[in-house]
Amino acid sequence: MQIQAKSSDALKHKADALVIGIFEGKQLSETAASLDAESGAISKILSQEKFTGQAGASLTLLQNIGQSATRLVLLGLGKATAGEVSQQNFKTALGKLPALAKQYRHIALDLNGITVSDNDAKASAKLVAKTLATSLWQFSAFKTDKPQKPALQKLTLLCDKKSVAPFNTGSKEGIALASGINLARELGNLPGNVCTPTYLSKQARAMVRGHSEATVKVLSEKQMQDLGMGAFLSVSVGSDEPGQMIILEYRGGAKNKAPLALVGKGVTFDTGGISLKPGAGMDEMKFDMCGAASVLGTFQSILDIKPKINVVAVIAAAENMPSGNATKPGDIVTTMSGQTVEILNTDAEGRLVLCDALTYVQRYKPSAIVDVATLTGACVVALGSHAHGLYSNDEALAEKLLAAGKAADDKAWHMPLWDEYQKQLDSNFADMANIGGREAGSVTAACYLSRFVKDCKWAHLDIAGTAWKSGGAKGATGRPVSLLLEYLTS
Ligand code: BES
Ligand code: MN
Ligand code: ZN
């Protein structure tokens, strides 16, 4: 799909459908008013119809009233003052686009004289592109009867002259963002028998192909052994699928500039290991690699946008299975950092693969590290499915991530990482245990990770509640690609 901004006369613009805005109370947008000035047709139609311009309502006219486009669609934008509509109403209205995209090959969306509160032109176009490209995506890899492809091939954004450039930049960024989100959803939804650690490493390799500014390297279990990654290997040892540590690098900035680091939990299936999970709903543990998927998705968007920054992404990919050689409760392992861990519960495996990835990524002397993980059920209890749990050892970094989440409509909530919680990880036999008891499970998981970051700004996003939806709409959400991309590019 192609999106292009143009500053041509909306009424003379040829398209299969021209979409023009009507504000709440049957108020006409700039283009609607100029079309109405010629024949009075719009006023007449509005006087006969229930449609009042409420956000998200629409009316497709079957007669031509003077426009060059085949069909004219009146789109309700809700309340407006001097053409400015609220973000919420704009989003609600954009919700109509996918249905139109199913029907029309070329849509022209008229935004002349229409602005969105707290959005500049670029941000509005980005929102249009993101909304459209994510809503047209469907997961159909395993459906024999493929759903019909949307008709839409071209969306033209009609605007004034000075908005053309920001509209084009915004829609380009919106499409790049959507491609990252959609990749994260695709990978997340793939079943555990397809999306293995090896599959993820193949995806990473394919992603950088043809991009001279990006490289990929995959550490084998043997190499991880040599590096002393005893915690990571204690998870993958129970599985026939070999664990993989995937390292992607993007160099768009100055050579000597420290990279920003992303680290993703890529447990491609989490049975709990010997501390086996109950059977009900266990299928959803195929989503336990959504942190990794969001890091890969973000990396994909970065390759599209090519910002002038350096990024290193590490994905800790392993399958957590029970077997004859699986790790047992009480086993003690030595992490790459040298610290020892008593594994009291093999179902707390995410922190085990992540701690070695965190130690490893510090070789790149990153300016900040953000790890992303479906880490704890306790985070779902605490925050539900609306906000990611955010933990950080650096106040300014936390503020940046919170702001990025707000700006990108992908919110996080700041959680405490206080020393008081650390003692819950005490072990009688090793430097620490891998679980911290019943209380504050999401906090103690973050406390565990914090012990592996030395003198570096670091933040942890617990996305256990936000990475996928359960029930009838079961599926990966692609979060927090929007937050991460906003953080990296702002
Ligand atoms: N992947 C799970 C966390 C999870 C559970 C995410 C449910 C989303 C929904 C993680 O590996 C896990 O099993 N965590 C345990 C930790 C516990 C043993 C301390 C949990 O949350 O129960
Ligand atoms: Mn687990
Ligand atoms: Zn897990």
Side-chain angles (χ1 to χ4, degrees):
M1 185 193 44
Q2 187 200 348
I3 304 185
Q4 203 173 39
K6 271 217 169 106
S7 79
S8 62
D9 185 343
L11 304 176
K12 296 214 176 80
H13 197 83
K14 285 207 172 62
D16 298 315
L18 170 67
V19 181
I20 64 174
I22 304 289
F23 305 123
E24 183 75 71
K26 306 191 178 186
Q27 299 297 306
L28 305 188
S29 62
E30 204 175 288
T31 301
S34 71
L35 185 54
D36 199 49
E38 288 173 22
S39 60
I42 293 190
S43 303
K44 191 162 162 229
I45 288 160
L46 286 177
S47 72
Q48 296 162 346
E49 293 282 344
K50 270 208 189 107
F51 175 84
T52 60
Q54 63 274 40
S58 72
L59 190 65
T60 303
L61 306 188
L62 297 176
Q63 69 269 48
N64 189 300
I65 60 168
Q67 84 280 2
S68 297
T70 314
R71 285 272 179 269
L72 185 66
V73 180
L74 307 183
L75 180 62
L77 295 173
K79 239 171 113 172
T81 352
E84 184 178 298
V85 300
S86 74
Q87 280 205 28
Q88 194 46 55
N89 281 343
F90 191 60
K91 275 182 212 152
T92 309
L94 291 179
K96 270 281 152 174
L97 285 185
L100 297 172
K102 292 216 168 80
Q103 231 179 318
Y104 302 109
R105 273 166 56 103
H106 176 196
I107 297 176
L109 174 64
D110 174 65
L111 292 171
N112 276 295
I114 297 166
T115 56
V116 183
S117 46
D118 303 322
N119 266 11
D120 55 14
K122 186 180 123 183
S124 299
K126 187 171 172 181
L127 188 57
V128 172
K130 173 193 172 182
T131 307
L132 190 62
T134 52
S135 57
L136 293 180
W137 174 88
Q138 298 177 71
F139 185 76
S140 58
F142 300 94
K143 295 282 192 191
T144 307
D145 298 323
K146 303 288 181 207
Q148 217 190 332
K149 284 227 167 73
L152 189 71
Q153 300 198 340
K154 190 162 114 182
L155 175 74
T156 307
L157 300 175
L158 300 168
C159 57
D160 55 26
K161 254 208 182 84
K162 71 173 195 314
S163 299
V164 170
F167 266 42
N168 278 330
T169 323
S171 36
K172 207 176 134 237
E173 283 181 17
I175 286 187
L177 169 59
S179 90
I181 293 172
N182 291 342
L183 174 65
R185 290 157 87 192
E186 187 83 32
L187 292 172
N189 285 350
L190 287 175
N193 62 331
V194 173
C195 186
T196 58
T198 307
Y199 184 92
L200 287 178
S201 65
K202 282 185 186 151
Q203 285 289 311
R205 286 205 167 96
M207 193 185 295
V208 302
R209 214 162 283 148
H211 289 275
S212 56
E213 68 284 9
T215 56
V216 63
K217 162 169 93 176
V218 181
L219 302 180
S220 66
E221 289 194 346
K222 169 78 179 56
Q223 288 168 303
M224 288 191 264
Q225 194 110 51
D226 295 343
L227 286 163
M229 294 184 169
F232 178 102
L233 292 165
S234 76
V235 177
S236 65
V237 70
S239 169
D240 290 347
E241 293 292 341
Q244 315 265 308
M245 189 74 79
I246 306 162
I247 302 108
L248 287 154
E249 276 186 80
Y250 167 81
R251 304 214 152 263
K255 235 187 164 146
N256 55 0
K257 194 153 181 276
L260 289 158
L262 300 178
V263 176
K265 171 180 173 183
V267 173
T268 58
F269 197 85
D270 180 13
T271 63
I274 296 298
S275 311
L276 193 64
K277 285 182 180 294
M282 206 208 273
D283 66 290
E284 296 193 8
M285 282 300 117
K286 72 173 183 177
F287 294 119
D288 211 18
M289 36 57 72
C290 281
S294 74
V295 169
L296 284 170
T298 305
F299 203 86
Q300 168 74 67
S301 303
I302 289 288
L303 291 179
D304 287 350
I305 298 174
K306 299 195 181 15
K308 291 186 171 53
I309 53 170
N310 296 326
V311 178
V312 56
V314 176
I315 283 154
E319 190 181 62
N320 189 21
M321 294 288 277
S323 77
N325 43 17
T327 297
K328 304 167 290 298
D331 285 1
I332 295 176
V333 296
T334 304
T335 64
M336 185 183 172
S337 73
Q339 301 175 91
T340 57
V341 179
E342 184 187 13
I343 300 174
L344 289 174
N345 191 318
T346 64
D347 197 11
E349 86 298 338
R351 60 197 83 181
L352 294 173
V353 299
L354 284 173
C355 69
D356 283 339
L358 286 170
T359 302
Y360 184 80
V361 79
Q362 286 167 80
R363 301 189 153 189
Y364 291 84
K365 305 247 174 301
S367 55
I369 307 171
V370 180
D371 80 65
V372 194
T374 50
L375 205 61
T376 63
C379 190
V380 191
V381 175
L383 296 175
S385 57
H386 302 295
H388 319 294
L390 168 69
Y391 299 85
S392 182
N393 63 6
D394 184 86
E395 204 62 31
L397 174 60
E399 288 302 325
K400 272 188 201 160
L401 289 162
L402 289 172
K406 268 193 197 149
D409 200 12
D410 190 7
K411 286 198 286 280
W413 185 252
H414 201 169
M415 301 282 280
L417 189 70
W418 301 329
D419 285 344
E420 289 92 318
Y421 292 99
Q422 290 280 357
K423 63 174 176 302
Q424 286 179 240
L425 294 170
D426 286 353
S427 158
N428 284 0
F429 307 109
D431 295 340
M432 70 191 88
N434 77 326
I435 53 170
R438 215 177 56 85
E439 294 181 2
S442 177
V443 182
T444 53
C447 284
Y448 174 95
L449 294 178
S450 74
R451 296 177 176 213
F452 297 86
V453 184
K454 294 277 167 273
D455 310 316
C456 184
K457 293 176 188 173
W458 157 80
H460 157 62
L461 289 166
D462 193 334
I463 60 164
T466 52
W468 75 90
K469 290 184 178 149
S470 305
K474 193 190 286 182
T477 60
R479 295 180 68 185
V481 172
S482 299
L483 180 157
L484 293 173
L485 193 66
E486 180 69 27
Y487 163 69
L488 292 176
T489 57
S490 68

mmCIF file with all atom_site columns, all heavy atoms in Angstrom, residues 169-187:
data_model
loop_
_atom_site.group_PDB
_atom_site.id
_atom_site.type_symbol
_atom_site.label_atom_id
_atom_site.label_alt_id
_atom_site.label_comp_id
_atom_site.label_asym_id
_atom_site.label_entity_id
_atom_site.label_seq_id
_atom_site.pdbx_PDB_ins_code
_atom_site.Cartn_x
_atom_site.Cartn_y
_atom_site.Cartn_z
_atom_site.occupancy
_atom_site.B_iso_or_equiv
_atom_site.pdbx_formal_charge
_atom_site.auth_seq_id
_atom_site.auth_comp_id
_atom_site.auth_asym_id
_atom_site.auth_atom_id
_atom_site.pdbx_PDB_model_num
ATOM 1   N N   . THR A 1 169 ? 6.504  12.614  5.338  1.00 0.00 ? 169 THR A N   1
ATOM 2   C CA  . THR A 1 169 ? 7.424  12.039  6.331  1.00 0.00 ? 169 THR A CA  1
ATOM 3   C C   . THR A 1 169 ? 6.623  11.234  7.354  1.00 0.00 ? 169 THR A C   1
ATOM 4   O O   . THR A 1 169 ? 6.998  10.114  7.722  1.00 0.00 ? 169 THR A O   1
ATOM 5   C CB  . THR A 1 169 ? 8.181  13.153  7.104  1.00 0.00 ? 169 THR A CB  1
ATOM 6   O OG1 . THR A 1 169 ? 8.472  14.196  6.203  1.00 0.00 ? 169 THR A OG1 1
ATOM 7   C CG2 . THR A 1 169 ? 9.433  12.623  7.726  1.00 0.00 ? 169 THR A CG2 1
ATOM 8   N N   . GLY A 1 170 ? 5.539  11.824  7.826  1.00 0.00 ? 170 GLY A N   1
ATOM 9   C CA  . GLY A 1 170 ? 4.716  11.157  8.840  1.00 0.00 ? 170 GLY A CA  1
ATOM 10  C C   . GLY A 1 170 ? 4.155  9.843   8.340  1.00 0.00 ? 170 GLY A C   1
ATOM 11  O O   . GLY A 1 170 ? 4.185  8.832   9.050  1.00 0.00 ? 170 GLY A O   1
ATOM 12  N N   . SER A 1 171 ? 3.665  9.810   7.108  1.00 0.00 ? 171 SER A N   1
ATOM 13  C CA  . SER A 1 171 ? 3.077  8.548   6.653  1.00 0.00 ? 171 SER A CA  1
ATOM 14  C C   . SER A 1 171 ? 4.159  7.499   6.410  1.00 0.00 ? 171 SER A C   1
ATOM 15  O O   . SER A 1 171 ? 3.936  6.312   6.649  1.00 0.00 ? 171 SER A O   1
ATOM 16  C CB  . SER A 1 171 ? 2.166  8.718   5.439  1.00 0.00 ? 171 SER A CB  1
ATOM 17  O OG  . SER A 1 171 ? 2.637  9.671   4.570  1.00 0.00 ? 171 SER A OG  1
ATOM 18  N N   . LYS A 1 172 ? 5.345  7.953   5.995  1.00 0.00 ? 172 LYS A N   1
ATOM 19  C CA  . LYS A 1 172 ? 6.456  7.006   5.832  1.00 0.00 ? 172 LYS A CA  1
ATOM 20  C C   . LYS A 1 172 ? 6.805  6.366   7.187  1.00 0.00 ? 172 LYS A C   1
ATOM 21  O O   . LYS A 1 172 ? 6.967  5.154   7.298  1.00 0.00 ? 172 LYS A O   1
ATOM 22  C CB  . LYS A 1 172 ? 7.670  7.739   5.246  1.00 0.00 ? 172 LYS A CB  1
ATOM 23  C CG  . LYS A 1 172 ? 8.580  6.835   4.452  1.00 0.00 ? 172 LYS A CG  1
ATOM 24  C CD  . LYS A 1 172 ? 9.716  7.620   3.809  1.00 0.00 ? 172 LYS A CD  1
ATOM 25  C CE  . LYS A 1 172 ? 11.005 6.869   4.056  1.00 0.00 ? 172 LYS A CE  1
ATOM 26  N NZ  . LYS A 1 172 ? 12.038 7.636   4.731  1.00 0.00 ? 172 LYS A NZ  1
ATOM 27  N N   . GLU A 1 173 ? 6.886  7.219   8.200  1.00 0.00 ? 173 GLU A N   1
ATOM 28  C CA  . GLU A 1 173 ? 7.193  6.704   9.538  1.00 0.00 ? 173 GLU A CA  1
ATOM 29  C C   . GLU A 1 173 ? 6.080  5.808   10.067 1.00 0.00 ? 173 GLU A C   1
ATOM 30  O O   . GLU A 1 173 ? 6.334  4.802   10.729 1.00 0.00 ? 173 GLU A O   1
ATOM 31  C CB  . GLU A 1 173 ? 7.423  7.867   10.517 1.00 0.00 ? 173 GLU A CB  1
ATOM 32  C CG  . GLU A 1 173 ? 8.781  8.501   10.340 1.00 0.00 ? 173 GLU A CG  1
ATOM 33  C CD  . GLU A 1 173 ? 9.023  9.645   11.329 1.00 0.00 ? 173 GLU A CD  1
ATOM 34  O OE1 . GLU A 1 173 ? 8.302  9.750   12.341 1.00 0.00 ? 173 GLU A OE1 1
ATOM 35  O OE2 . GLU A 1 173 ? 9.940  10.438  11.067 1.00 0.00 ? 173 GLU A OE2 1
ATOM 36  N N   . GLY A 1 174 ? 4.853  6.184   9.771  1.00 0.00 ? 174 GLY A N   1
ATOM 37  C CA  . GLY A 1 174 ? 3.706  5.384   10.213 1.00 0.00 ? 174 GLY A CA  1
ATOM 38  C C   . GLY A 1 174 ? 3.710  4.004   9.582  1.00 0.00 ? 174 GLY A C   1
ATOM 39  O O   . GLY A 1 174 ? 3.404  3.000   10.235 1.00 0.00 ? 174 GLY A O   1
ATOM 40  N N   . ILE A 1 175 ? 4.076  3.943   8.312  1.00 0.00 ? 175 ILE A N   1
ATOM 41  C CA  . ILE A 1 175 ? 4.122  2.648   7.617  1.00 0.00 ? 175 ILE A CA  1
ATOM 42  C C   . ILE A 1 175 ? 5.270  1.806   8.163  1.00 0.00 ? 175 ILE A C   1
ATOM 43  O O   . ILE A 1 175 ? 5.127  0.600   8.378  1.00 0.00 ? 175 ILE A O   1
ATOM 44  C CB  . ILE A 1 175 ? 4.228  2.858   6.092  1.00 0.00 ? 175 ILE A CB  1
ATOM 45  C CG1 . ILE A 1 175 ? 2.864  3.326   5.578  1.00 0.00 ? 175 ILE A CG1 1
ATOM 46  C CG2 . ILE A 1 175 ? 4.653  1.582   5.387  1.00 0.00 ? 175 ILE A CG2 1
ATOM 47  C CD1 . ILE A 1 175 ? 2.738  3.432   4.093  1.00 0.00 ? 175 ILE A CD1 1
ATOM 48  N N   . ALA A 1 176 ? 6.412  2.452   8.421  1.00 0.00 ? 176 ALA A N   1
ATOM 49  C CA  . ALA A 1 176 ? 7.559  1.731   8.990  1.00 0.00 ? 176 ALA A CA  1
ATOM 50  C C   . ALA A 1 176 ? 7.208  1.193   10.378 1.00 0.00 ? 176 ALA A C   1
ATOM 51  O O   . ALA A 1 176 ? 7.525  0.040   10.713 1.00 0.00 ? 176 ALA A O   1
ATOM 52  C CB  . ALA A 1 176 ? 8.768  2.649   9.075  1.00 0.00 ? 176 ALA A CB  1
ATOM 53  N N   . LEU A 1 177 ? 6.546  2.014   11.173 1.00 0.00 ? 177 LEU A N   1
ATOM 54  C CA  . LEU A 1 177 ? 6.126  1.584   12.505 1.00 0.00 ? 177 LEU A CA  1
ATOM 55  C C   . LEU A 1 177 ? 5.168  0.395   12.399 1.00 0.00 ? 177 LEU A C   1
ATOM 56  O O   . LEU A 1 177 ? 5.323  -0.614  13.092 1.00 0.00 ? 177 LEU A O   1
ATOM 57  C CB  . LEU A 1 177 ? 5.454  2.761   13.234 1.00 0.00 ? 177 LEU A CB  1
ATOM 58  C CG  . LEU A 1 177 ? 4.722  2.452   14.540 1.00 0.00 ? 177 LEU A CG  1
ATOM 59  C CD1 . LEU A 1 177 ? 5.664  1.823   15.561 1.00 0.00 ? 177 LEU A CD1 1
ATOM 60  C CD2 . LEU A 1 177 ? 4.103  3.727   15.123 1.00 0.00 ? 177 LEU A CD2 1
ATOM 61  N N   . ALA A 1 178 ? 4.202  0.507   11.504 1.00 0.00 ? 178 ALA A N   1
ATOM 62  C CA  . ALA A 1 178 ? 3.223  -0.569  11.342 1.00 0.00 ? 178 ALA A CA  1
ATOM 63  C C   . ALA A 1 178 ? 3.894  -1.859  10.888 1.00 0.00 ? 178 ALA A C   1
ATOM 64  O O   . ALA A 1 178 ? 3.515  -2.955  11.312 1.00 0.00 ? 178 ALA A O   1
ATOM 65  C CB  . ALA A 1 178 ? 2.140  -0.155  10.350 1.00 0.00 ? 178 ALA A CB  1
ATOM 66  N N   . SER A 1 179 ? 4.924  -1.741  10.055 1.00 0.00 ? 179 SER A N   1
ATOM 67  C CA  . SER A 1 179 ? 5.567  -2.974  9.583  1.00 0.00 ? 179 SER A CA  1
ATOM 68  C C   . SER A 1 179 ? 6.290  -3.651  10.746 1.00 0.00 ? 179 SER A C   1
ATOM 69  O O   . SER A 1 179 ? 6.325  -4.885  10.833 1.00 0.00 ? 179 SER A O   1
ATOM 70  C CB  . SER A 1 179 ? 6.479  -2.702  8.388  1.00 0.00 ? 179 SER A CB  1
ATOM 71  O OG  . SER A 1 179 ? 7.784  -2.403  8.805  1.00 0.00 ? 179 SER A OG  1
ATOM 72  N N   . GLY A 1 180 ? 6.826  -2.850  11.687 1.00 0.00 ? 180 GLY A N   1
ATOM 73  C CA  . GLY A 1 180 ? 7.433  -3.422  12.883 1.00 0.00 ? 180 GLY A CA  1
ATOM 74  C C   . GLY A 1 180 ? 6.392  -4.058  13.802 1.00 0.00 ? 180 GLY A C   1
ATOM 75  O O   . GLY A 1 180 ? 6.594  -5.157  14.328 1.00 0.00 ? 180 GLY A O   1
ATOM 76  N N   . ILE A 1 181 ? 5.292  -3.363  13.986 1.00 0.00 ? 181 ILE A N   1
ATOM 77  C CA  . ILE A 1 181 ? 4.207  -3.890  14.835 1.00 0.00 ? 181 ILE A CA  1
ATOM 78  C C   . ILE A 1 181 ? 3.670  -5.188  14.236 1.00 0.00 ? 181 ILE A C   1
ATOM 79  O O   . ILE A 1 181 ? 3.492  -6.191  14.933 1.00 0.00 ? 181 ILE A O   1
ATOM 80  C CB  . ILE A 1 181 ? 3.060  -2.856  14.955 1.00 0.00 ? 181 ILE A CB  1
ATOM 81  C CG1 . ILE A 1 181 ? 3.531  -1.627  15.742 1.00 0.00 ? 181 ILE A CG1 1
ATOM 82  C CG2 . ILE A 1 181 ? 1.823  -3.474  15.603 1.00 0.00 ? 181 ILE A CG2 1
ATOM 83  C CD1 . ILE A 1 181 ? 2.525  -0.476  15.753 1.00 0.00 ? 181 ILE A CD1 1
ATOM 84  N N   . ASN A 1 182 ? 3.439  -5.165  12.923 1.00 0.00 ? 182 ASN A N   1
ATOM 85  C CA  . ASN A 1 182 ? 2.869  -6.347  12.277 1.00 0.00 ? 182 ASN A CA  1
ATOM 86  C C   . ASN A 1 182 ? 3.829  -7.533  12.311 1.00 0.00 ? 182 ASN A C   1
ATOM 87  O O   . ASN A 1 182 ? 3.406  -8.682  12.471 1.00 0.00 ? 182 ASN A O   1
ATOM 88  C CB  . ASN A 1 182 ? 2.449  -6.017  10.846 1.00 0.00 ? 182 ASN A CB  1
ATOM 89  C CG  . ASN A 1 182 ? 1.251  -5.077  10.810 1.00 0.00 ? 182 ASN A CG  1
ATOM 90  O OD1 . ASN A 1 182 ? 0.536  -4.934  11.813 1.00 0.00 ? 182 ASN A OD1 1
ATOM 91  N ND2 . ASN A 1 182 ? 1.021  -4.436  9.678  1.00 0.00 ? 182 ASN A ND2 1
ATOM 92  N N   . LEU A 1 183 ? 5.132  -7.254  12.197 1.00 0.00 ? 183 LEU A N   1
ATOM 93  C CA  . LEU A 1 183 ? 6.104  -8.345  12.314 1.00 0.00 ? 183 LEU A CA  1
ATOM 94  C C   . LEU A 1 183 ? 6.064  -8.941  13.723 1.00 0.00 ? 183 LEU A C   1
ATOM 95  O O   . LEU A 1 183 ? 6.063  -10.169 13.894 1.00 0.00 ? 183 LEU A O   1
ATOM 96  C CB  . LEU A 1 183 ? 7.523  -7.849  11.992 1.00 0.00 ? 183 LEU A CB  1
ATOM 97  C CG  . LEU A 1 183 ? 8.630  -8.884  12.229 1.00 0.00 ? 183 LEU A CG  1
ATOM 98  C CD1 . LEU A 1 183 ? 8.466  -10.073 11.278 1.00 0.00 ? 183 LEU A CD1 1
ATOM 99  C CD2 . LEU A 1 183 ? 10.016 -8.270  12.059 1.00 0.00 ? 183 LEU A CD2 1
ATOM 100 N N   . ALA A 1 184 ? 5.989  -8.069  14.721 1.00 0.00 ? 184 ALA A N   1
ATOM 101 C CA  . ALA A 1 184 ? 5.931  -8.548  16.106 1.00 0.00 ? 184 ALA A CA  1
ATOM 102 C C   . ALA A 1 184 ? 4.679  -9.389  16.335 1.00 0.00 ? 184 ALA A C   1
ATOM 103 O O   . ALA A 1 184 ? 4.715  -10.413 17.035 1.00 0.00 ? 184 ALA A O   1
ATOM 104 C CB  . ALA A 1 184 ? 5.966  -7.363  17.072 1.00 0.00 ? 184 ALA A CB  1
ATOM 105 N N   . ARG A 1 185 ? 3.569  -8.978  15.742 1.00 0.00 ? 185 ARG A N   1
ATOM 106 C CA  . ARG A 1 185 ? 2.327  -9.745  15.902 1.00 0.00 ? 185 ARG A CA  1
ATOM 107 C C   . ARG A 1 185 ? 2.435  -11.101 15.190 1.00 0.00 ? 185 ARG A C   1
ATOM 108 O O   . ARG A 1 185 ? 2.022  -12.131 15.719 1.00 0.00 ? 185 ARG A O   1
ATOM 109 C CB  . ARG A 1 185 ? 1.148  -8.957  15.326 1.00 0.00 ? 185 ARG A CB  1
ATOM 110 C CG  . ARG A 1 185 ? 0.799  -7.728  16.150 1.00 0.00 ? 185 ARG A CG  1
ATOM 111 C CD  . ARG A 1 185 ? 0.072  -6.718  15.301 1.00 0.00 ? 185 ARG A CD  1
ATOM 112 N NE  . ARG A 1 185 ? -1.359 -6.925  15.255 1.00 0.00 ? 185 ARG A NE  1
ATOM 113 C CZ  . ARG A 1 185 ? -2.167 -6.294  14.393 1.00 0.00 ? 185 ARG A CZ  1
ATOM 114 N NH1 . ARG A 1 185 ? -1.674 -5.442  13.511 1.00 0.00 ? 185 ARG A NH1 1
ATOM 115 N NH2 . ARG A 1 185 ? -3.454 -6.521  14.404 1.00 0.00 ? 185 ARG A NH2 1
ATOM 116 N N   . GLU A 1 186 ? 2.985  -11.061 13.983 1.00 0.00 ? 186 GLU A N   1
ATOM 117 C CA  . GLU A 1 186 ? 3.146  -12.285 13.187 1.00 0.00 ? 186 GLU A CA  1
ATOM 118 C C   . GLU A 1 186 ? 3.987  -13.312 13.961 1.00 0.00 ? 186 GLU A C   1
ATOM 119 O O   . GLU A 1 186 ? 3.585  -14.462 14.137 1.00 0.00 ? 186 GLU A O   1
ATOM 120 C CB  . GLU A 1 186 ? 3.822  -11.917 11.862 1.00 0.00 ? 186 GLU A CB  1
ATOM 121 C CG  . GLU A 1 186 ? 3.928  -13.032 10.848 1.00 0.00 ? 186 GLU A CG  1
ATOM 122 C CD  . GLU A 1 186 ? 2.651  -13.211 10.037 1.00 0.00 ? 186 GLU A CD  1
ATOM 123 O OE1 . GLU A 1 186 ? 1.945  -12.218 9.777  1.00 0.00 ? 186 GLU A OE1 1
ATOM 124 O OE2 . GLU A 1 186 ? 2.353  -14.370 9.669  1.00 0.00 ? 186 GLU A OE2 1
ATOM 125 N N   . LEU A 1 187 ? 5.153  -12.873 14.424 1.00 0.00 ? 187 LEU A N   1
ATOM 126 C CA  . LEU A 1 187 ? 6.054  -13.778 15.156 1.00 0.00 ? 187 LEU A CA  1
ATOM 127 C C   . LEU A 1 187 ? 5.394  -14.265 16.445 1.00 0.00 ? 187 LEU A C   1
ATOM 128 O O   . LEU A 1 187 ? 5.492  -15.437 16.810 1.00 0.00 ? 187 LEU A O   1
ATOM 129 C CB  . LEU A 1 187 ? 7.374  -13.077 15.479 1.00 0.00 ? 187 LEU A CB  1
ATOM 130 C CG  . LEU A 1 187 ? 8.280  -12.740 14.296 1.00 0.00 ? 187 LEU A CG  1
ATOM 131 C CD1 . LEU A 1 187 ? 9.457  -11.882 14.751 1.00 0.00 ? 187 LEU A CD1 1
ATOM 132 C CD2 . LEU A 1 187 ? 8.774  -14.010 13.603 1.00 0.00 ? 187 LEU A CD2 1
#
